[in-house]
Amino acid sequence: MSMTVLADSLLSYTIEPDPDPLTVKDPDPGRLDIKVGLGNSGPAYCKSVTVRIPIGAGASALTENRAQLTSAIVGASGWTARPGYADGTWQVFEFVPERPVQVTGRTVTLVVSQIEVNDSVGEAGIEIIEETSPTNGSFTPKPTEASVTKFPAEFVFRNFRPTKIMVCNGEKAVLKWDGSADAAYTMFWDRNSQDVSQVREWTTPEPLTAPTGFMLQATVTAGGQTLTHTLTTVVMVERPDLEVGHLDIAGRTTFRGGPLEGLIQDRMYLYTTMPGNTGKPPSFRTQGPGIIRVELYIGTLPAGQIARAGVKLGNSQTTTVVLSGPAPYKASAVEPLKAGVTVDLDVYWPDQIFSGDAWWWWYPLGPQEPPVRI
């Protein structure tokens, strides 16, 4: 999937096909999940988002059957998915809140489903038009162009996952996936890459000492075109090594048992929440340097859905734990912070989740009275 966002766009978009990826001649209709979030331009108020789906038999169109297409909203209340309508070679879907709404860190998912993919492999271009404003006034349309890849019918690429979501510090990770034989596969992690086309189970060359993200890219040639699709996953590390660029420590530091043992002192509980809690997580300002630890547990979560917890500095998402169904399992992440920083706690529970918890803990580096101010 590729995307071109104009400079004045205030929102961000991630397009996820389901099944992953879309293939031609699939007897089961597919769907597109378009995740809408806040962009990098500051405050954003949204009046509507329009999605235009190309109709036809060619490579640049997605489906010939416009009448079967349906739309829906996931992850937000107060929005309406209006019935689609024809506009020449496009089928148009409008997603409208009850009133202009400020877009925050929580993601709204626009769904276009019941897609009978046509028989031509290639890149189908879709259009997204946001009607937004930075001030809740003078709304203007801002277009985004994206493309969705349609792979050959025999192409399979799915279930990219680690055998263990968390490994011990100094343990290697094992990752598996399902993939058809007619594609080339490349694994990317940290600053490394490796051709893994001949295997469907891969062990990291070196042990992991910190949480590590992995991206697996599949490449296939069909109809004279080179098509690529990527899947990602993360492996957490228990008691990870910590690497920071700058760290200021005010006051006494105590070492126990080794060079760095005991540097992190007693933790302070900040906040916990669970699905169904509609209250806004608090913000806090650090009074000294330390480390915030985010822990996320999900007990029930359907396949394909995600839960997320993290911290934000301003508009920047610095640490995020993302878990996807099926559940249960848990994971954590850490973020070093200096003194005098305002931090926002961030959490997203999908509508389909019924059990889970998110915790935030503060580990001060050196004596602090008080360590944080809520």
Side-chain angles (χ1 to χ4, degrees):
M1 186 271 293
S2 63
M3 181 175 297
T4 301
V5 181
L6 296 189
D8 61 348
S9 178
L10 301 182
L11 305 180
S12 64
Y13 305 94
T14 302
I15 302 178
E16 298 179 356
D18 183 19
D20 194 359
L22 296 179
T23 57
V24 302
K25 302 179 181 179
D26 192 332
D28 298 321
R31 71 182 241 179
L32 295 178
D33 290 354
I34 304 171
K35 300 183 183 298
V36 182
L38 184 63
N40 298 320
S41 301
Y45 293 84
C46 182
K47 191 175 182 180
S48 69
V49 179
T50 300
V51 178
R52 294 167 58 87
I53 303 296
I55 306 299
S60 61
L62 189 58
T63 178
E64 295 184 78
N65 189 350
R66 72 167 77 224
Q68 185 166 311
L69 297 177
T70 61
S71 61
I73 293 280
V74 177
S77 59
W79 283 69
T80 298
R82 293 177 176 173
Y85 63 88
D87 181 12
T89 59
W90 300 89
Q91 188 74 1
V92 183
F93 296 93
E94 295 178 344
F95 302 87
V96 182
E98 294 176 354
R99 61 184 62 86
V101 61
Q102 184 174 14
V103 180
T104 61
R106 179 165 180 169
T107 301
V108 177
T109 301
L110 316 179
V111 178
V112 177
S113 58
Q114 295 300 309
I115 303 171
E116 291 183 357
V117 180
N118 65 22
D119 293 344
S120 300
V121 299
E123 301 283 341
I126 71 171
E127 294 181 356
I128 304 171
I129 303 172
E130 64 181 71
E131 193 174 2
T132 55
S133 165
T135 61
N136 199 17
S138 300
F139 289 88
T140 58
K142 304 170 182 66
T144 292
E145 298 178 356
S147 62
V148 178
T149 305
K150 301 173 296 176
F151 287 86
E154 64 275 9
F155 179 68
V156 174
F157 184 36
R158 59 182 176 235
N159 294 336
F160 181 42
R161 74 280 186 192
T163 56
K164 294 197 298 184
I165 192 66
M166 178 178 289
V167 298
C168 296
N169 192 319
E171 180 183 357
K172 293 184 177 182
V174 179
L175 296 104
K176 297 182 177 181
W177 64 94
D178 300 331
S180 51
D182 57 346
Y185 300 88
T186 305
M187 185 76 71
F188 297 88
W189 75 104
D190 289 338
R191 296 179 178 86
N192 307 302
S193 63
Q194 183 175 329
D195 185 343
V196 292
S197 301
Q198 303 306 312
V199 299
R200 297 298 179 267
E201 178 177 319
W202 177 79
T203 302
T204 57
E206 301 294 334
L208 301 187
T209 58
T212 304
F214 296 87
M215 182 179 76
L216 183 60
Q217 183 179 78
T219 303
V220 63
T221 300
Q225 301 183 69
T226 299
L227 309 174
T228 62
H229 192 76
T230 59
L231 297 177
T232 60
T233 191
V234 175
V235 178
M236 307 306 298
V237 173
E238 187 176 3
R239 297 177 63 88
D241 293 357
L242 178 64
E243 181 179 349
V244 297
H246 301 280
L247 183 63
D248 296 326
I249 300 178
R252 184 182 63 195
T253 300
T254 302
F255 298 89
R256 305 187 192 95
L260 293 179
E261 188 69 21
L263 176 61
I264 301 177
Q265 300 183 355
D266 293 340
R267 69 182 182 177
M268 172 187 175
Y269 162 79
L270 291 175
Y271 185 73
T272 184
T273 188
M274 60 184 60
N277 183 357
T278 59
K280 177 178 173 56
S283 300
F284 71 88
R285 186 171 180 82
T286 62
Q287 304 302 297
I291 295 171
I292 189 169
R293 179 180 179 89
V294 184
E295 301 177 7
L296 179 62
Y297 166 79
I298 53 176
T300 56
L301 183 61
Q305 297 297 319
I306 67 166
R308 183 190 72 238
V311 298
K312 296 175 66 176
L313 303 180
N315 290 326
S316 300
Q317 189 85 33
T318 60
T319 293
T320 306
V321 180
V322 178
L323 299 181
S324 61
Y329 52 80
K330 62 182 178 180
S332 63
V334 297
E335 177 73 16
L337 299 173
K338 61 183 180 180
V341 175
T342 299
V343 181
D344 290 303
L345 308 185
D346 178 64
V347 64
Y348 167 68
W349 301 110
D351 294 338
Q352 296 88 347
I353 190 171
F354 301 105
S355 69
D357 294 279
W359 302 267
W360 289 262
W361 301 90
W362 175 251
Y363 295 79
L365 296 175
Q368 300 176 28
E369 294 292 334
V372 298
R373 178 173 296 143
I374 301 296

